[in-house]
Amino acid sequence: MTDTSPSKFRRFVTASFWGYGLFWSWNLIFLAFMAFGFAPQLLPNLINSVRTTQAPPEFLLYALLMTLIPLAAVVLGLTTLRREPRKLLVLGYGVEGPLLLLLLARFFVVRQATAAISLTLALAGLGLLTLLWQLLDRKINERGPWASALRLAGLTLMLILGVYAAVWLAFYVVPLTTLVVESLLHFLGEMSQHLRELYQALTSPTFWRDLLLNWQLLPLMVFGGLLAAYSGTLLVALPIAVTVIYARAWLAGLATARARLGRPLAALVPVAVLLLGGGLLLLLNRQPQGKAFALLAQPPASPIEAQALLNRQDEIRAGLLNAYLAPQRYISAVGEVRHVRDLYAEAFHIPSDQAGRVQALYESVAQPLLYQPVEPIQPNAGWDNQALQREPAQAAELYESFFDRPLVEAERPAVVAAVRATWNVDAAMSAWQAVDDREVRLLRQEVTVTPQGDWAEIELIEVYQNVTALRQEVVYYFSLPESAVVTGLWLGPSADREHRFAYRISPRGAAQAVYRNEVRRQIDPALVEQIGPRQYRLRIFPIDPQQIEYEPNSLRGTIQEGEPLYMWLTYRTLAVEGAWPLPQMSEKLNVYWDDATVRLLNGQPLALGAAADEIWLPASAPAAAAGAPATHRVDFPGNRTVIARPLSAAVQPGLPDKVRLAVVLDRSRSMADQQAALEASFERLRALLSTGAQVDVYLTASPFRGEAPSLVRLEDFDAHSILTFGGQNAAELLAQYTDLRRDRTYDAVLVLTDGSGYALGEGDVTVAPSPAPIWLVHLGGFPLGYDDPTLDAIQASGGGAAASVDEALTRLAIGLSGQAEGVITDIVDGYEWLTLSTEMANALSSVGPEALADARQFAPFAARRLILAEMQAGRSRITDLALLDRLHAVAVNDSIVTPLSSMIVLVNAPQELLLDKLEAQDDRFQREHEDVGETIAAPPVAAVPEPEEWLLISLMAGLLVWYGRSKRRETRLDAAVQ
């Protein structure tokens, strides 16, 4: 006879009803949502979005994992555990739910896991697997001693970390439950009003029309809402359920271990796990940024202290990197988890100071997930003073000052890993300018060389296509021979030259301001500007994005490829060593090419070999049709003439005896890589001492050297014992030289540096005009460019940039010899360039009338040389607007890019009007220094959302949020295009 007593009935309800009911109800709702909502509506769009990089590829993996876990649980429920409701309850609440939360926390909350978090998650995973083993192994209590010890160790991990997670979760469950109950009571109090509103909606024709039009979305909305509500309800009981389940499982494992191992050994296992695991977590949770900031808080007071800092550079690097990547590695900062304080104050109506104590308690529990600020957080500080915004910027600044390299460049692999470790599309893409540069594909590249005797006009055509869902900017930093000149820039939507947008020559400051303004407004411009004697920057915006066109009344969409954008760039160059030099890329942003890119030189495919993906253009094109080097002469208004004649036809003078040279030595940290070149350079300078030369060496010093800049005679200087430390740019080197020089006079200034200074920024120093030519000797390669005050000072002095001391001395000798004759002379690219009065040119017997034969075509070369010569002649008034306007007029007349004049492409009348207005302002030649990167760039490390944003998130809710954001983004882009 069946016993139906109340006690039996209660046991039946507890075991079967709750076990079967909770497990199957949640999993069936989840599977229904996946089958009828996610798969037909969201999955196709998610795949398209991964293809267009709106969503990272990992999203598909996350969706798969989140789907497979419930599917695996259902399979176990239908097979192994189908008659065991108690185990089903443990499987759902003790394994499946925590495992899903664990994955959600890893993928959505913890972006780049620290060592402590990785260990915590790994140990938690081992504990959950141990519990699953205990559920599925029917003979687990019969296993041997080793198995029992492993089981107890795993269950100990599960219990400790489970209780820890339950406590962490309870901080949210308690106040949120209170707020939900209050909201529910408020809703019930206004039930009559809600019923009236519901009745009005159901009786509205538009409601049923919209319902019929969007019936395909009903399963997604119904099952999605039901899943979210039901999961939230179950989550309320999770802290208690997990604690009870894990405690009972651990006691069972302890009992078995006692039977197999004996009481002493059984007690030793959990103690060992606690000590070993806790010790490892404490060790790994130590954050290094505090020590790094403390070491760099004060500059060293002596070279000995500076060397001591160098000995701890690994420790400093780790600390600064952790601070810089804190927004990716931590969910918030200690003292700034204010949402907990606000949550408790609102839920329980307690004073802010009492709620603050709850916040402090929470922060002590969540410490592995929180960044420890170097500077204590003020209790009442506003959100604008967040440590995760302030200290990463400070870390980047300290890194550049100490290591002489931008942190993003020097720690590229770590930054790549950090920005990849996020599901957030906007955050990943805004950060990617520093680490990927694969947003715009180069579809086609054509180079056409048109020889004109000993010089040629070269046209570069590139076709770009955006492979992302956001508008992109293409940026090139490139170099040309110093005598070459850029003569044209165009943009167009097709290959039709008749409908392309033409350029305009504008003062550099006005052109930059218009370009930056139009990029902010998402309107098409392009800009090429000269930022060094041979360095240029080309920017093109926008490359229109891909679009997803959605089917009516559906979430399904098809990808529409972005419209291609055509760019034409022309320049003129002399033949150099029997070849036509091509632009050489120093840096690129966002653009890439691959094997499918069509790349042609004079109509023939370019053969670039295995390194084709890295090479923008070959170094040169064959100059088989080049004419013999010839003398060229161009006469300009105002009694000025420029002559270029092959160097072999000119007598090359040497340096005068007793030449006086100032050698400014850059002792930045990056110069350590140029030690051999430095020693060779000083040997070349020592050879001048035999001619009676006076050479003074100016030893520069960064704030971290522990000593002030100093001056020594070359005879007393040892180039073998240079201590490189800190970082400085060219402007700072020249400023220290100016301060030390006082009333000393020199025939020239040689600055021995490398090519790293541009990325360190403009600095806050003023570069004074120099009475002597300044030659920047870049050992190991040229920089991307210079800030404008430095560039103006160099070129106005009659100096320039050289790759070696020998090159600088050769060009200096030519310049010094020309000064005595009233002629400004230089040697560039195998030609001697003379700028002189027309009367003096007419008196030169070596330059006949044939030199004027191609004066009109050669004028752009000569115009650039004339501008540089006039800058040198007017060095004392290099900021005078009248002089600058006169030089700019020469550039406009000959359509060339110069250090003062840039070339900008505009596409509409409002842009032209804006440029007209800015060209009339007094600051039209004042160009702001711009860091290497996109014109309007987001911080390389994205900000972090607060933990409460993720606490109750599930995969489906995350996908729905992502879908809504992608639709809004599409709407914004469509509006911008229209």
Side-chain angles (χ1 to χ4, degrees):
M1 178 179 294
T2 303
D3 187 351
T4 58
S5 64
S7 59
K8 293 287 187 179
F9 178 75
R10 283 195 298 270
R11 285 198 297 270
F12 169 77
V13 170
T14 301
S16 301
F17 178 79
W18 292 109
Y20 287 129
L22 292 178
F23 179 84
W24 286 113
S25 60
W26 188 89
N27 281 288
L28 289 177
I29 292 173
F30 179 85
L31 294 177
F33 173 79
M34 295 299 297
F36 301 110
F38 173 77
Q41 298 298 333
L42 288 180
L43 183 59
N45 199 35
L46 175 60
I47 294 174
N48 283 338
S49 297
V50 169
R51 290 178 56 193
T52 60
T53 70
Q54 289 187 63
E58 294 86 347
F59 231 21
L60 285 176
L61 175 63
Y62 303 163
L64 180 63
L65 286 174
M66 301 301 173
T67 304
L68 289 178
I69 291 173
L71 281 176
V74 168
V75 170
L76 290 176
L78 290 173
T79 56
T80 306
L81 305 178
R82 67 181 182 275
R83 298 183 182 278
E84 301 186 63
R86 292 180 183 274
K87 288 189 175 182
L88 282 180
L89 185 63
V90 174
L91 178 64
Y93 250 124
V95 179
E96 182 184 8
L99 190 56
L100 283 172
L101 287 176
L102 197 67
L103 289 174
L104 286 169
R106 174 61 188 91
F107 296 137
F108 292 96
V109 180
V110 181
R111 297 184 174 183
Q112 187 185 40
T114 62
I117 294 299
S118 297
L119 179 62
T120 301
L121 295 177
L123 295 179
L126 289 175
L128 291 175
L129 289 176
T130 305
L131 180 58
L132 183 63
W133 171 31
Q134 181 167 296
L135 286 175
L136 300 180
D137 189 351
R138 300 183 184 280
K139 297 183 179 180
I140 191 169
N141 292 328
E142 302 174 11
R143 303 296 178 189
W146 284 106
S148 298
L150 290 175
R151 173 190 175 189
L152 181 58
L155 292 175
T156 301
L157 291 174
M158 177 198 68
L159 177 62
I160 295 172
L161 295 176
V163 171
Y164 170 79
V167 171
W168 185 80
L169 195 61
F171 273 99
Y172 293 100
V173 169
V174 174
L176 288 176
T177 301
T178 302
L179 291 174
V180 169
V181 171
E182 288 182 359
S183 300
L184 183 60
L185 292 176
H186 181 74
F187 177 83
L188 293 175
E190 299 179 350
M191 180 60 73
S192 59
Q193 178 182 347
H194 296 312
L195 290 176
R196 284 194 301 270
E197 293 173 352
L198 178 61
Y199 175 77
Q200 292 173 359
L202 293 176
T203 56
S204 171
T206 58
F207 172 81
W208 296 104
R209 183 180 69 244
D210 293 342
L211 186 65
L212 290 175
L213 289 175
N214 297 283
W215 65 270
Q216 293 176 326
L217 301 180
L218 280 177
L220 177 69
M221 293 185 292
V222 172
F223 289 114
L226 185 59
L227 179 65
Y230 196 19
S231 299
T233 303
L234 296 179
L235 200 63
V236 171
L238 189 62
I240 297 176
V242 162
T243 302
V244 173
I245 289 172
Y246 289 176
R248 294 184 63 181
W250 182 80
L251 290 173
L254 179 63
T256 301
R258 284 177 175 177
R260 294 287 183 272
L261 303 173
R263 288 179 177 272
L265 288 178
L268 183 62
V269 170
V271 172
V273 169
L274 179 62
L275 293 177
L276 182 60
L280 283 174
L281 287 174
L282 288 175
L283 180 64
L284 294 177
N285 196 45
R286 296 171 60 186
Q287 298 182 19
Q289 65 273 2
K291 179 61 69 175
F293 274 68
L295 288 173
L296 301 181
Q298 296 293 332
S302 67
I304 296 177
E305 292 185 9
Q307 185 61 56
L309 284 181
L310 278 179
N311 296 338
R312 304 183 67 173
Q313 59 182 311
D314 292 340
E315 186 178 352
I316 294 172
R317 176 181 285 108
L320 296 179
L321 185 62
N322 193 64
Y324 184 75
L325 298 179
Q328 298 295 113
R329 294 178 173 180
Y330 304 97
I331 62 174
S332 188
V334 174
E336 291 190 334
V337 194
R338 300 183 181 90
H339 72 274
V340 173
R341 179 191 63 194
D342 298 338
L343 191 61
Y344 275 81
E346 181 180 359
F348 301 109
H349 310 289
I350 60 177
S352 179
D353 58 340
Q354 294 183 17
R357 287 194 284 271
V358 178
Q359 173 187 333
L361 184 60
Y362 170 87
E363 290 175 350
S364 65
V365 172
Q367 193 175 57
L369 296 170
L370 301 179
Y371 174 75
Q372 297 172 5
V374 175
E375 299 178 9
I377 303 300
Q378 299 299 322
N380 298 320
W383 288 102
D384 291 338
N385 193 32
Q386 294 184 76
L388 294 187
Q389 292 181 357
R390 181 183 63 252
E391 293 191 5
Q394 293 174 346
E397 183 178 349
L398 286 173
Y399 192 101
E400 289 187 10
S401 299
F402 185 80
F403 290 104
D404 194 25
R405 291 184 66 189
L407 186 148
V408 172
E409 175 187 321
E411 306 293 342
R412 184 182 179 90
V415 177
V416 169
V419 299
R420 278 296 195 190
T422 175
W423 71 277
N424 186 297
V425 181
D426 292 333
M429 294 190 68
S430 65
W432 209 241
Q433 62 89 15
V435 293
D436 187 17
D437 299 332
R438 294 186 65 85
E439 288 87 357
V440 177
R441 183 167 173 262
L442 181 61
L443 295 179
R444 187 178 183 89
Q445 180 188 76
E446 296 183 54
V447 178
T448 303
V449 180
T450 305
Q452 303 287 341
D454 61 345
W455 63 272
E457 179 157 83
I458 299 179
E459 180 183 60
L460 170 65
I461 305 175
E462 292 197 333
V463 185
Y464 310 107
Q465 186 174 59
N466 195 337
V467 297
T468 75
L470 298 176
R471 288 185 166 189
Q472 299 292 344
E473 178 186 32
V474 168
V475 183
Y476 287 115
Y477 290 83
F478 67 94
S479 61
L480 290 171
E482 194 169 337
S483 62
V485 59
V486 176
T487 57
L489 177 67
W490 297 264
L491 288 182
S494 69
D496 186 358
R497 295 173 182 258
E498 296 298 323
H499 293 90
R500 63 186 183 178
F501 299 102
Y503 62 87
R504 173 172 163 179
I505 305 297
S506 177
R508 62 189 182 188
Q512 180 198 51
V514 170
Y515 181 85
R516 296 173 69 177
N517 180 74
E518 297 308 285
V519 168
R520 290 188 182 97
R521 297 177 60 233
Q522 301 283 296
I523 299 178
D524 309 53
L527 177 67
V528 60
E529 49 195 339
Q530 187 171 358
I531 57 175
R534 63 188 76 193
Q535 297 99 323
Y536 296 83
R537 175 171 56 201
L538 170 63
R539 293 183 277 184
I540 305 161
F541 181 89
I543 319 299
D544 284 332
Q546 294 178 337
Q547 300 286 342
I548 298 180
E549 293 191 359
Y550 294 91
E551 300 174 6
N553 310 320
S554 172
L555 300 183
R556 298 179 183 177
T558 56
I559 298 175
Q560 301 297 319
E561 298 293 343
E563 293 294 328
L565 182 68
Y566 289 71
M567 184 277 299
W568 293 261
L569 176 74
T570 60
Y571 70 96
R572 296 182 184 183
T573 182
L574 295 163
V576 177
E577 297 181 355
W580 303 118
L582 297 180
Q584 294 302 290
M585 182 187 70
S586 303
E587 187 76 49
K588 66 177 177 65
L589 295 164
N590 298 334
V591 66
Y592 74 99
W593 43 89
D594 52 29
D595 292 339
T597 300
V598 177
R599 307 174 75 178
L600 304 175
L601 173 60
N602 291 328
Q604 300 299 315
L606 272 173
L608 298 173
D613 289 349
E614 301 296 328
I615 298 175
W616 182 36
L617 290 164
S620 60
T631 299
H632 304 271
R633 170 178 170 175
V634 180
D635 294 335
F636 290 92
N639 192 32
R640 300 300 290 168
T641 294
V642 173
I643 296 174
R645 57 189 182 187
L647 191 58
S648 58
V651 178
Q652 297 186 43
L655 284 172
D657 291 339
K658 300 182 179 180
V659 66
R660 294 163 299 173
L661 299 178
V663 178
V664 182
L665 176 60
D666 179 5
R667 294 192 292 173
S668 298
R669 181 175 176 79
S670 59
M671 289 293 289
D673 297 333
Q674 308 302 327
Q675 181 62 35
L678 271 178
E679 294 177 7
S681 298
F682 277 106
E683 285 301 316
R684 174 67 179 89
L685 292 169
R686 287 183 187 279
L688 299 177
L689 297 179
S690 61
T691 65
Q694 174 189 334
V695 182
D696 292 336
V697 181
Y698 287 78
L699 303 175
T700 63
S702 79
F704 284 99
R705 283 198 64 86
E707 60 180 349
S710 58
L711 170 64
V712 298
R713 298 291 297 271
L714 178 60
E715 296 88 336
D716 302 324
F717 176 68
D718 181 8
H720 301 279
S721 59
I722 301 173
L723 173 64
T724 57
F725 202 82
Q728 295 173 281
N729 59 26
E732 292 166 335
L733 301 177
L734 291 174
Q736 291 189 0
Y737 155 73
T738 301
D739 291 341
L740 281 175
R741 180 176 64 86
R742 298 180 180 176
D743 57 351
R744 299 179 182 87
T745 59
Y746 297 99
D747 296 310
V749 181
L750 304 184
V751 182
L752 301 185
T753 183
D754 58 4
S756 65
Y758 183 80
L760 297 180
E762 182 178 8
D764 56 357
V765 299
T766 301
V767 181
S770 173
I774 299 174
W775 285 96
L776 294 182
V777 180
H778 293 285
L779 306 176
F782 290 94
L784 298 182
Y786 307 94
D787 60 88
D788 283 345
T790 303
L791 178 60
D792 293 347
I794 295 170
Q795 301 207 305
S797 72
S804 67
V805 169
D806 274 330
E807 178 187 350
L809 293 178
T810 299
R811 295 180 64 178
L812 172 62
I814 292 291
L816 293 177
S817 65
Q819 288 179 358
E821 303 170 5
V823 180
I824 297 178
T825 312
D826 197 2
I827 293 178
V828 181
D829 298 329
Y831 285 73
E832 182 186 26
W833 297 81
L834 300 92
T835 305
L836 65 170
S837 66
T838 304
E839 289 88 347
M840 293 183 66
N842 292 335
L844 290 176
S845 59
S846 60
V847 181
E850 68 278 1
L852 290 166
D854 66 344
R856 185 173 181 180
Q857 293 78 15
F858 198 79
F861 292 98
R864 183 179 184 279
R865 178 53 48 182
L866 175 64
I867 290 171
L868 296 178
E870 294 300 305
M871 290 177 66
Q872 179 179 350
R875 71 183 72 178
S876 61
R877 19 183 215 102
I878 192 60
T879 59
D880 180 65
L881 278 178
L883 172 63
L884 298 179
D885 284 337
R886 181 163 58 84
L887 300 181
H888 174 64
V890 176
V892 172
N893 184 68
D894 289 287
S895 294
I896 62 172
V897 176
T898 74
L900 299 174
S901 306
S902 300
M903 189 174 285
I904 185 169
V905 176
L906 304 177
V907 300
N908 58 39
Q911 292 178 335
E912 297 279 357
L913 291 175
L914 176 61
L915 186 56
D916 290 340
K917 177 181 177 181
L918 293 177
E919 285 185 349
Q921 295 183 359
D922 291 342
D923 62 351
R924 52 187 175 271
F925 290 101
Q926 296 177 18
R927 181 170 53 187
E928 295 181 10
H929 178 84
E930 294 184 74
D931 292 334
V932 179
E934 298 177 59
T935 300
I936 307 299
V941 180
V944 173
E946 287 296 329
E948 76 275 14
E949 294 179 87
W950 308 106
L951 176 68
L952 302 178
I953 195 171
S954 66
L955 174 66
M956 303 316 141
L959 292 174
L960 287 171
V961 170
W962 158 80
Y963 166 71
R965 293 176 64 207
S966 66
K967 290 292 284 182
R968 289 196 297 272
R969 184 186 304 113
E970 179 192 2
T971 302
R972 292 197 300 270
L973 290 177
D974 289 343
V977 172
Q978 294 172 359

